[in-house]
């Protein structure tokens, strides 16, 4: 079996202390497995820079091209994305069905986006609220959307119409700009869609996004789970059908963002990579 990995913001494909380490332990645990750690750019420095400043749609196109040209992946592969790499790989699953993706594992991904400043101490903090408003200013302008990666999954639940109209990435893959039946068909072709949520996450606001939950529309205090969202009830992506078929797997870790032990990884993730 083969696997592709995509890193998180500020990381590179081959950092020995992060994605490179994950690659190593997977290879040690599953002898003979082929692991492709995706690099966006010509070197690790470009890879890190592109995680902040390269249009996500262009990144997805590049990844699709790399996967299509890799002879060792043509029979299909499993994939694993960390943090923002998770929603980017989901876009690959939805847009590029060849070669086929079997199991998709998102670890701390922001599937409904974010609406908050990392490491901010709670929703009641005035500083957090002020920072959120500053981040929200201009985020949906064309120049910011096309040049700042994190803006492309900034989801303002108070300004839903502006988000749906101007978000060039997240609103598209979440079927909020219109219904693309191909996206739904391709995602439903997965055998398993595994979502890992970090219960003490201080980087992702709200953490519910890691399980496809989000703020109830019109405010930024109360969150609702995936099953209460219109995305699920109207089944725009096929998530309701996948859930009923046992294809959605919700895992949790009692830690901060991307904080887990080798033992937890071996027990909970490795089985989906065989």
């Amino acid at each position: 079996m083969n696997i592709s990995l995509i890193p998180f913001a500020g990381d590179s494909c081959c950092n020995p202390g992060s994605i490179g380490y994950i690659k190593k332990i997977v290879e040690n645990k599953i002898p003979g497995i082929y692991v492709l750690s995706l690099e966006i750019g010509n070197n690790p420095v470009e890879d890190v820079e592109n995680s902040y400043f390269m249009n996500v749609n262009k990144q997805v196109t590049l990844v699709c091209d790399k996967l299509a040209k890799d002879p060792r992946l043509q029979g299909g592969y499993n994939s694993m994305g960390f943090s923002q790499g998770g929603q980017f790989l989901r876009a690959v699953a939805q847009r590029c069905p060849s070669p086929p993706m079997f199991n998709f594992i998102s670890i701390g991904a922001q599937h409904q986006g974010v609406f908050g400043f990392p490491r901010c101490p709670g929703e009641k903090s005035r500083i957090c609220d002020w920072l959120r408003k500053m981040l929200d200013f201009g985020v949906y302008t064309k120049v910011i959307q096309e040049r700042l990666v994190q803006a492309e999954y900034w989801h303002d639940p108070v300004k839903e119409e502006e988000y749906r109209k101007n978000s060039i990435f997240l609103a598209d893959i979440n079927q909020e700009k219109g219904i693309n039946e191909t996206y739904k068909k391709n995602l439903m072709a997965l055998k398993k869609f595994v979502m890992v949520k970090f219960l003490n996450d201080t980087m992702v606001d709200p953490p519910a996004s890691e399980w496809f939950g989000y703020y109830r529309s019109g405010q930024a205090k109360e969150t609702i789970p995936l099953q209460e969202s219109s995305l699920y009830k109207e089944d725009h992506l096929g998530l309701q059908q996948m859930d009923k078929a046992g294809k959605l797997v919700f895992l949790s870790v009692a830690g901060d963002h991307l904080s887990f032990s080798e033992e937890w990884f071996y027990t909970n993730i490795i089985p989906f990579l065989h």
Side-chain angles (χ1 to χ4, degrees):
M1 182 55 68
N2 306 313
I3 180 176
S4 64
L5 305 174
I6 193 164
F8 48 89
D11 195 23
S12 69
C13 69
C14 312
N15 184 339
S18 53
I19 294 297
Y21 178 70
I22 295 295
K23 181 177 185 292
K24 180 180 178 180
I25 65 174
V26 169
E27 290 171 336
N28 289 340
K29 205 68 176 177
I30 311 176
I33 193 173
Y34 169 61
V35 181
L36 171 65
S37 188
L38 291 156
E39 183 176 61
I40 308 299
N42 297 312
N43 54 62
V45 173
E46 284 189 12
D47 197 11
V48 171
E49 291 175 348
N50 288 336
S51 73
Y52 292 108
F53 303 116
M54 184 179 187
N55 186 300
V56 178
N57 292 308
K58 292 181 179 178
Q59 292 192 47
V60 171
T61 298
L62 282 174
V63 168
C64 289
D65 186 58
K66 285 177 179 284
L67 296 175
K69 291 179 178 178
D70 192 320
R72 301 187 66 174
L73 298 179
Q74 298 316 295
Y77 65 100
N78 295 316
S79 69
M80 183 161 47
F82 295 82
S83 197
Q84 68 179 25
Q87 59 262 33
F88 300 170
L89 266 180
R90 175 163 63 87
V92 171
Q94 293 175 205
R95 294 175 179 176
C96 310
S98 181
M101 186 186 295
F102 299 140
N103 293 328
F104 166 45
I105 304 163
S106 73
I107 299 181
Q110 303 96 48
H111 290 293
Q112 281 282 20
V114 296
F115 188 58
F117 195 78
R119 306 292 186 196
C120 229
E123 298 301 329
K124 296 181 180 180
S125 167
R126 291 184 179 181
I127 295 176
C128 290
D129 190 52
W130 180 80
L131 287 169
R132 175 189 277 164
K133 289 177 180 178
M134 291 301 98
L135 284 169
D136 205 25
F137 182 74
V139 73
Y140 294 124
T141 61
K142 184 177 180 180
V143 65
I144 297 298
Q145 281 288 305
E146 292 183 349
R147 289 175 172 80
L148 183 62
V149 166
Q150 288 67 39
E152 295 178 49
Y153 56 88
W154 182 262
H155 180 177
D156 187 335
V158 182
K159 302 176 182 176
E160 289 279 7
E161 189 58 37
E162 186 177 357
Y163 155 71
R164 285 191 291 267
K165 179 181 178 181
N166 297 310
S167 170
I168 67 171
F169 174 69
L170 188 68
D172 175 65
I173 65 167
N174 281 359
Q175 304 277 47
E176 295 172 289
K177 300 175 81 72
I179 305 301
N180 185 326
E181 291 297 337
T182 301
Y183 283 2
K184 182 175 180 178
K185 176 184 176 182
N186 291 341
L187 191 65
M188 289 181 65
L190 291 171
K191 293 180 179 179
K192 294 289 184 181
F193 179 0
V194 182
M195 289 172 265
V196 178
K197 175 183 176 182
F198 293 87
L199 300 179
N200 305 108
D201 204 316
T202 60
M203 284 290 290
V204 177
D205 188 3
S209 186
E210 297 170 13
W211 276 359
F212 248 114
Y214 207 61
Y215 292 112
R216 190 182 296 278
S217 184
Q219 51 82 59
K221 298 293 182 182
E222 179 192 2
T223 60
I224 59 173
L226 166 64
Q227 289 77 7
E228 292 182 24
S229 68
S230 59
L231 177 65
Y232 185 89
K233 292 178 179 179
E234 297 171 16
D235 214 16
H236 294 160
L237 270 178
L239 294 172
Q240 182 185 136
Q241 294 179 63
M242 293 177 74
D243 193 18
K244 291 179 178 179
K247 289 188 172 186
L248 299 187
V249 180
F250 300 92
L251 301 179
S252 62
V253 186
D256 202 351
H257 195 59
L258 302 183
S259 178
F260 54 85
S261 67
E262 278 189 32
E263 291 73 22
W264 180 91
F265 186 84
Y266 291 150
T267 301
N268 294 279
I269 302 301
I270 288 295
F272 294 104
L273 302 179
H274 282 283

